[in-house]
Amino acid sequence: MRFVVGWVIVMQAVKFGSGNKFSNFRQTEIFEEVLDDGLKTTVEGVSLMACVKECYEDADCRRVKFCEENVMSGHCKLYEDGKDCPHAANGLECTCFQKMRQCEDEVCTCAIGYYGNSCEKVIKDCSEGQHHGLLDLKKKLSYIQPDGAEEPFEVLCEFRYGGLTTIQSRDLAASYVDFNRSMEDFVHGFGRPRYNCWLGLKRISLLFAMGEMKCNIVLDGPSGFCQVYYDRCHVGGEEDGYRITIGEYSTAVSPRCGDSLVAVDNINNATFSTYNYDNDNNCASKMAAGWWYAPTSNCTKGNLNAPLVATPLVGLRLKWVYDKGNDIIASSLFRITGV
């Protein structure tokens, strides 16, 4: 009930006495998550109105979360990016607002990924961000809308290095997300960008359809960080079973992970499998994850969707055999960029 009242207060401010100051904020979702990335600053003991005003007056603030402590005040958090707000269960009721646009003297600051005089356009992928003043943002949540997508959606963008679009992320420190799901779930996507997330095969295939791509995989854990590039890769559409084709393994990066996708148990030319749509020796069921699998008894040497665990168990766990062996992998990113 309190937040209904709070939202009415914000809407009253828009209508009566604050002009357009708050009209470009929209209420978004709160989701359960133990991590709180993208946080810019915290302001204590303020009202909801004062919290939103703090974000309005800060050009770098793109989102605000207000957690009510009493009828008059609460905790205010300002974020650098993103749409929805993470919140760890602590008994407080919270609400989230995203700043979609802020215009001063005919110059507009848009929600990240939008551009144009009235923030009416959207970049197609993260590589396009470097042409619209986003390079200095480095790594941020951003809207994109590739050709064929019905509406913009949010991804984790790395705007440097030519622009990399994240299609999958795993983080052992984040709230748990099950990756042993149906084909329908893998087609539409699940999780939250920046935390444990699968973008969705439908969206992934649209990104690949825009041109030649290369794949980048980043792994981190107690034994250290490494990454790998495949100079050509492609994921097809539904009509081809979301088939993956992978080109040459690149030796041009350092520190470099080994080749766990094609060197042995080669997944090149594999279609996507899940427990209820298994195309490869029952591998999705054996490995407890939707993924591309080789037609071999071992299924794959690199499975980024397998269970993410804190102990080096044999078998059912996220793995990258070459260079990582039985090491724990604490986080991973699967990203793509134009050739």
PDB file of all heavy atoms in Angstrom, residues 87-108:
ATOM      1  N   HIS A  87      17.500  -6.863  -5.672  1.00  0.00           N
ATOM      2  CA  HIS A  87      17.212  -6.638  -4.257  1.00  0.00           C
ATOM      3  C   HIS A  87      17.327  -7.955  -3.511  1.00  0.00           C
ATOM      4  O   HIS A  87      16.708  -8.952  -3.876  1.00  0.00           O
ATOM      5  CB  HIS A  87      15.805  -6.061  -4.076  1.00  0.00           C
ATOM      6  CG  HIS A  87      15.451  -5.776  -2.652  1.00  0.00           C
ATOM      7  ND1 HIS A  87      16.145  -4.865  -1.881  1.00  0.00           N
ATOM      8  CD2 HIS A  87      14.481  -6.287  -1.849  1.00  0.00           C
ATOM      9  CE1 HIS A  87      15.618  -4.823  -0.668  1.00  0.00           C
ATOM     10  NE2 HIS A  87      14.606  -5.677  -0.625  1.00  0.00           N
ATOM     11  N   ALA A  88      18.162  -7.960  -2.487  1.00  0.00           N
ATOM     12  CA  ALA A  88      18.286  -9.129  -1.623  1.00  0.00           C
ATOM     13  C   ALA A  88      17.211  -9.049  -0.543  1.00  0.00           C
ATOM     14  O   ALA A  88      16.991  -7.983   0.045  1.00  0.00           O
ATOM     15  CB  ALA A  88      19.672  -9.171  -0.987  1.00  0.00           C
ATOM     16  N   ALA A  89      16.525 -10.157  -0.293  1.00  0.00           N
ATOM     17  CA  ALA A  89      15.435 -10.177   0.682  1.00  0.00           C
ATOM     18  C   ALA A  89      15.944  -9.742   2.052  1.00  0.00           C
ATOM     19  O   ALA A  89      16.823 -10.369   2.633  1.00  0.00           O
ATOM     20  CB  ALA A  89      14.835 -11.579   0.748  1.00  0.00           C
ATOM     21  N   ASN A  90      15.413  -8.619   2.572  1.00  0.00           N
ATOM     22  CA  ASN A  90      15.831  -8.133   3.890  1.00  0.00           C
ATOM     23  C   ASN A  90      14.671  -7.526   4.670  1.00  0.00           C
ATOM     24  O   ASN A  90      14.881  -6.823   5.658  1.00  0.00           O
ATOM     25  CB  ASN A  90      16.951  -7.097   3.745  1.00  0.00           C
ATOM     26  CG  ASN A  90      16.541  -5.896   2.912  1.00  0.00           C
ATOM     27  OD1 ASN A  90      15.395  -5.766   2.511  1.00  0.00           O
ATOM     28  ND2 ASN A  90      17.498  -5.014   2.653  1.00  0.00           N
ATOM     29  N   GLY A  91      13.460  -7.768   4.209  1.00  0.00           N
ATOM     30  CA  GLY A  91      12.282  -7.272   4.910  1.00  0.00           C
ATOM     31  C   GLY A  91      11.808  -5.904   4.461  1.00  0.00           C
ATOM     32  O   GLY A  91      10.693  -5.498   4.801  1.00  0.00           O
ATOM     33  N   LEU A  92      12.630  -5.175   3.707  1.00  0.00           N
ATOM     34  CA  LEU A  92      12.226  -3.860   3.230  1.00  0.00           C
ATOM     35  C   LEU A  92      11.450  -3.972   1.925  1.00  0.00           C
ATOM     36  O   LEU A  92      11.749  -4.816   1.087  1.00  0.00           O
ATOM     37  CB  LEU A  92      13.453  -2.961   3.010  1.00  0.00           C
ATOM     38  CG  LEU A  92      14.257  -2.570   4.249  1.00  0.00           C
ATOM     39  CD1 LEU A  92      15.455  -1.730   3.833  1.00  0.00           C
ATOM     40  CD2 LEU A  92      13.394  -1.805   5.249  1.00  0.00           C
ATOM     41  N   GLU A  93      10.464  -3.102   1.787  1.00  0.00           N
ATOM     42  CA  GLU A  93       9.731  -3.016   0.526  1.00  0.00           C
ATOM     43  C   GLU A  93      10.404  -1.970  -0.353  1.00  0.00           C
ATOM     44  O   GLU A  93      10.701  -0.860   0.099  1.00  0.00           O
ATOM     45  CB  GLU A  93       8.278  -2.642   0.781  1.00  0.00           C
ATOM     46  CG  GLU A  93       7.490  -3.690   1.535  1.00  0.00           C
ATOM     47  CD  GLU A  93       6.047  -3.270   1.681  1.00  0.00           C
ATOM     48  OE1 GLU A  93       5.279  -3.429   0.706  1.00  0.00           O
ATOM     49  OE2 GLU A  93       5.690  -2.762   2.749  1.00  0.00           O
ATOM     50  N   CYS A  94      10.651  -2.313  -1.595  1.00  0.00           N
ATOM     51  CA  CYS A  94      11.395  -1.422  -2.477  1.00  0.00           C
ATOM     52  C   CYS A  94      10.643  -1.221  -3.791  1.00  0.00           C
ATOM     53  O   CYS A  94       9.813  -2.042  -4.185  1.00  0.00           O
ATOM     54  CB  CYS A  94      12.774  -1.996  -2.786  1.00  0.00           C
ATOM     55  SG  CYS A  94      13.806  -2.271  -1.322  1.00  0.00           S
ATOM     56  N   THR A  95      10.946  -0.125  -4.447  1.00  0.00           N
ATOM     57  CA  THR A  95      10.426   0.146  -5.774  1.00  0.00           C
ATOM     58  C   THR A  95      11.554   0.692  -6.642  1.00  0.00           C
ATOM     59  O   THR A  95      12.560   1.186  -6.136  1.00  0.00           O
ATOM     60  CB  THR A  95       9.240   1.137  -5.715  1.00  0.00           C
ATOM     61  OG1 THR A  95       8.600   1.164  -6.981  1.00  0.00           O
ATOM     62  CG2 THR A  95       9.705   2.523  -5.341  1.00  0.00           C
ATOM     63  N   CYS A  96      11.392   0.583  -7.964  1.00  0.00           N
ATOM     64  CA  CYS A  96      12.469   0.888  -8.907  1.00  0.00           C
ATOM     65  C   CYS A  96      11.939   1.795 -10.010  1.00  0.00           C
ATOM     66  O   CYS A  96      10.817   1.617 -10.487  1.00  0.00           O
ATOM     67  CB  CYS A  96      12.996  -0.424  -9.500  1.00  0.00           C
ATOM     68  SG  CYS A  96      14.406  -0.259 -10.626  1.00  0.00           S
ATOM     69  N   PHE A  97      12.750   2.781 -10.393  1.00  0.00           N
ATOM     70  CA  PHE A  97      12.400   3.673 -11.491  1.00  0.00           C
ATOM     71  C   PHE A  97      13.593   3.808 -12.433  1.00  0.00           C
ATOM     72  O   PHE A  97      14.730   3.945 -11.982  1.00  0.00           O
ATOM     73  CB  PHE A  97      12.004   5.061 -10.983  1.00  0.00           C
ATOM     74  CG  PHE A  97      10.826   5.062 -10.062  1.00  0.00           C
ATOM     75  CD1 PHE A  97      11.002   5.003  -8.687  1.00  0.00           C
ATOM     76  CD2 PHE A  97       9.538   5.109 -10.559  1.00  0.00           C
ATOM     77  CE1 PHE A  97       9.920   5.002  -7.833  1.00  0.00           C
ATOM     78  CE2 PHE A  97       8.448   5.103  -9.704  1.00  0.00           C
ATOM     79  CZ  PHE A  97       8.634   5.047  -8.337  1.00  0.00           C
ATOM     80  N   GLN A  98      13.318   3.810 -13.718  1.00  0.00           N
ATOM     81  CA  GLN A  98      14.357   4.017 -14.721  1.00  0.00           C
ATOM     82  C   GLN A  98      14.170   5.382 -15.369  1.00  0.00           C
ATOM     83  O   GLN A  98      13.052   5.768 -15.726  1.00  0.00           O
ATOM     84  CB  GLN A  98      14.300   2.940 -15.808  1.00  0.00           C
ATOM     85  CG  GLN A  98      15.387   3.104 -16.865  1.00  0.00           C
ATOM     86  CD  GLN A  98      15.223   2.156 -18.029  1.00  0.00           C
ATOM     87  OE1 GLN A  98      14.126   1.713 -18.328  1.00  0.00           O
ATOM     88  NE2 GLN A  98      16.315   1.827 -18.696  1.00  0.00           N
ATOM     89  N   LYS A  99      15.285   6.098 -15.513  1.00  0.00           N
ATOM     90  CA  LYS A  99      15.255   7.378 -16.227  1.00  0.00           C
ATOM     91  C   LYS A  99      15.469   7.100 -17.706  1.00  0.00           C
ATOM     92  O   LYS A  99      16.540   6.698 -18.132  1.00  0.00           O
ATOM     93  CB  LYS A  99      16.333   8.319 -15.682  1.00  0.00           C
ATOM     94  CG  LYS A  99      16.322   9.697 -16.332  1.00  0.00           C
ATOM     95  CD  LYS A  99      17.179  10.689 -15.566  1.00  0.00           C
ATOM     96  CE  LYS A  99      18.639  10.371 -15.621  1.00  0.00           C
ATOM     97  NZ  LYS A  99      19.464  11.365 -14.909  1.00  0.00           N
ATOM     98  N   MET A 100      14.446   7.320 -18.497  1.00  0.00           N
ATOM     99  CA  MET A 100      14.524   7.027 -19.922  1.00  0.00           C
ATOM    100  C   MET A 100      15.160   8.155 -20.715  1.00  0.00           C
ATOM    101  O   MET A 100      15.790   7.941 -21.745  1.00  0.00           O
ATOM    102  CB  MET A 100      13.125   6.757 -20.479  1.00  0.00           C
ATOM    103  CG  MET A 100      12.493   5.476 -19.975  1.00  0.00           C
ATOM    104  SD  MET A 100      13.471   4.016 -20.402  1.00  0.00           S
ATOM    105  CE  MET A 100      13.328   4.007 -22.193  1.00  0.00           C
ATOM    106  N   ARG A 101      15.017   9.388 -20.222  1.00  0.00           N
ATOM    107  CA  ARG A 101      15.533  10.522 -20.986  1.00  0.00           C
ATOM    108  C   ARG A 101      15.646  11.728 -20.073  1.00  0.00           C
ATOM    109  O   ARG A 101      14.837  11.932 -19.182  1.00  0.00           O
ATOM    110  CB  ARG A 101      14.593  10.838 -22.155  1.00  0.00           C
ATOM    111  CG  ARG A 101      15.085  11.949 -23.067  1.00  0.00           C
ATOM    112  CD  ARG A 101      14.145  12.137 -24.233  1.00  0.00           C
ATOM    113  NE  ARG A 101      12.843  12.651 -23.807  1.00  0.00           N
ATOM    114  CZ  ARG A 101      11.918  13.106 -24.638  1.00  0.00           C
ATOM    115  NH1 ARG A 101      12.119  13.070 -25.941  1.00  0.00           N
ATOM    116  NH2 ARG A 101      10.770  13.555 -24.188  1.00  0.00           N
ATOM    117  N   GLN A 102      16.682  12.543 -20.272  1.00  0.00           N
ATOM    118  CA  GLN A 102      16.830  13.801 -19.557  1.00  0.00           C
ATOM    119  C   GLN A 102      17.351  14.840 -20.525  1.00  0.00           C
ATOM    120  O   GLN A 102      18.440  14.684 -21.089  1.00  0.00           O
ATOM    121  CB  GLN A 102      17.795  13.655 -18.375  1.00  0.00           C
ATOM    122  CG  GLN A 102      18.000  14.942 -17.607  1.00  0.00           C
ATOM    123  CD  GLN A 102      18.877  14.746 -16.385  1.00  0.00           C
ATOM    124  OE1 GLN A 102      19.142  13.624 -15.974  1.00  0.00           O
ATOM    125  NE2 GLN A 102      19.320  15.850 -15.804  1.00  0.00           N
ATOM    126  N   CYS A 103      16.583  15.892 -20.764  1.00  0.00           N
ATOM    127  CA  CYS A 103      16.942  16.904 -21.764  1.00  0.00           C
ATOM    128  C   CYS A 103      17.187  18.243 -21.093  1.00  0.00           C
ATOM    129  O   CYS A 103      16.370  18.707 -20.288  1.00  0.00           O
ATOM    130  CB  CYS A 103      15.840  17.037 -22.810  1.00  0.00           C
ATOM    131  SG  CYS A 103      15.544  15.513 -23.751  1.00  0.00           S
ATOM    132  N   GLU A 104      18.306  18.840 -21.412  1.00  0.00           N
ATOM    133  CA  GLU A 104      18.658  20.171 -20.953  1.00  0.00           C
ATOM    134  C   GLU A 104      19.141  20.968 -22.161  1.00  0.00           C
ATOM    135  O   GLU A 104      20.088  20.563 -22.835  1.00  0.00           O
ATOM    136  CB  GLU A 104      19.766  20.106 -19.884  1.00  0.00           C
ATOM    137  CG  GLU A 104      19.397  19.319 -18.632  1.00  0.00           C
ATOM    138  CD  GLU A 104      18.411  20.042 -17.745  1.00  0.00           C
ATOM    139  OE1 GLU A 104      18.222  21.260 -17.956  1.00  0.00           O
ATOM    140  OE2 GLU A 104      17.817  19.403 -16.855  1.00  0.00           O
ATOM    141  N   ASP A 105      18.506  22.123 -22.391  1.00  0.00           N
ATOM    142  CA  ASP A 105      18.904  22.989 -23.505  1.00  0.00           C
ATOM    143  C   ASP A 105      18.964  22.225 -24.826  1.00  0.00           C
ATOM    144  O   ASP A 105      19.929  22.320 -25.597  1.00  0.00           O
ATOM    145  CB  ASP A 105      20.256  23.645 -23.225  1.00  0.00           C
ATOM    146  CG  ASP A 105      20.226  24.518 -21.980  1.00  0.00           C
ATOM    147  OD1 ASP A 105      19.177  25.149 -21.735  1.00  0.00           O
ATOM    148  OD2 ASP A 105      21.233  24.553 -21.265  1.00  0.00           O
ATOM    149  N   GLU A 106      17.940  21.425 -25.072  1.00  0.00           N
ATOM    150  CA  GLU A 106      17.777  20.659 -26.313  1.00  0.00           C
ATOM    151  C   GLU A 106      18.833  19.569 -26.501  1.00  0.00           C
ATOM    152  O   GLU A 106      18.961  19.008 -27.586  1.00  0.00           O
ATOM    153  CB  GLU A 106      17.778  21.591 -27.526  1.00  0.00           C
ATOM    154  CG  GLU A 106      16.624  22.592 -27.497  1.00  0.00           C
ATOM    155  CD  GLU A 106      16.581  23.447 -28.739  1.00  0.00           C
ATOM    156  OE1 GLU A 106      17.505  23.332 -29.575  1.00  0.00           O
ATOM    157  OE2 GLU A 106      15.617  24.223 -28.890  1.00  0.00           O
ATOM    158  N   VAL A 107      19.599  19.268 -25.450  1.00  0.00           N
ATOM    159  CA  VAL A 107      20.548  18.157 -25.477  1.00  0.00           C
ATOM    160  C   VAL A 107      20.024  17.078 -24.545  1.00  0.00           C
ATOM    161  O   VAL A 107      19.814  17.332 -23.350  1.00  0.00           O
ATOM    162  CB  VAL A 107      21.957  18.594 -25.046  1.00  0.00           C
ATOM    163  CG1 VAL A 107      22.897  17.396 -25.010  1.00  0.00           C
ATOM    164  CG2 VAL A 107      22.492  19.659 -26.000  1.00  0.00           C
ATOM    165  N   CYS A 108      19.811  15.872 -25.078  1.00  0.00           N
ATOM    166  CA  CYS A 108      19.183  14.807 -24.295  1.00  0.00           C
ATOM    167  C   CYS A 108      20.180  13.721 -23.917  1.00  0.00           C
ATOM    168  O   CYS A 108      20.993  13.296 -24.738  1.00  0.00           O
ATOM    169  CB  CYS A 108      18.031  14.177 -25.079  1.00  0.00           C
ATOM    170  SG  CYS A 108      16.619  15.285 -25.294  1.00  0.00           S
TER     171      CYS A 108
END
